[in-house]
Amino acid sequence: MDASQAGLVAIGAGLAVGLAGIGAGLGEKDIGAAAVGAITEDGSLFGKGMIFTVMPETIVIFGLVIAIMALFVL
């Protein structure tokens, strides 16, 4: 792999993690606001609110896996 290909792979890996993080953050802000509101009304909803708040973070993990595969497998 020459230098230009390695640079493009690095840009692709950065985009995979960065765009996944931005997308998860945008989704998580609405879920977090709703979870805080629900917990304010009924404290027993804390567990469900936490699960729904953490769910979008799995998308970032998938982006990180794709980036690692792009950097070290190719």
Side-chain angles (χ1 to χ4, degrees):
M1 181 180 328
D2 62 346
S4 65
Q5 278 184 324
L8 289 175
V9 168
I11 289 172
L15 283 173
V17 174
L19 292 176
I22 289 172
L26 289 174
E28 198 168 341
K29 75 176 170 75
D30 295 331
I31 295 170
V36 168
I39 293 168
T40 302
E41 295 291 326
D42 184 10
S44 68
L45 295 174
F46 178 77
K48 289 182 183 178
M50 184 64 74
I51 289 171
F52 284 127
T53 303
V54 174
M55 245 187 249
E57 289 297 320
T58 59
I59 297 169
V60 179
I61 294 171
F62 294 148
L64 182 64
V65 167
I66 295 299
I68 289 171
M69 286 175 54
L71 289 174
F72 296 114
V73 173
L74 293 178

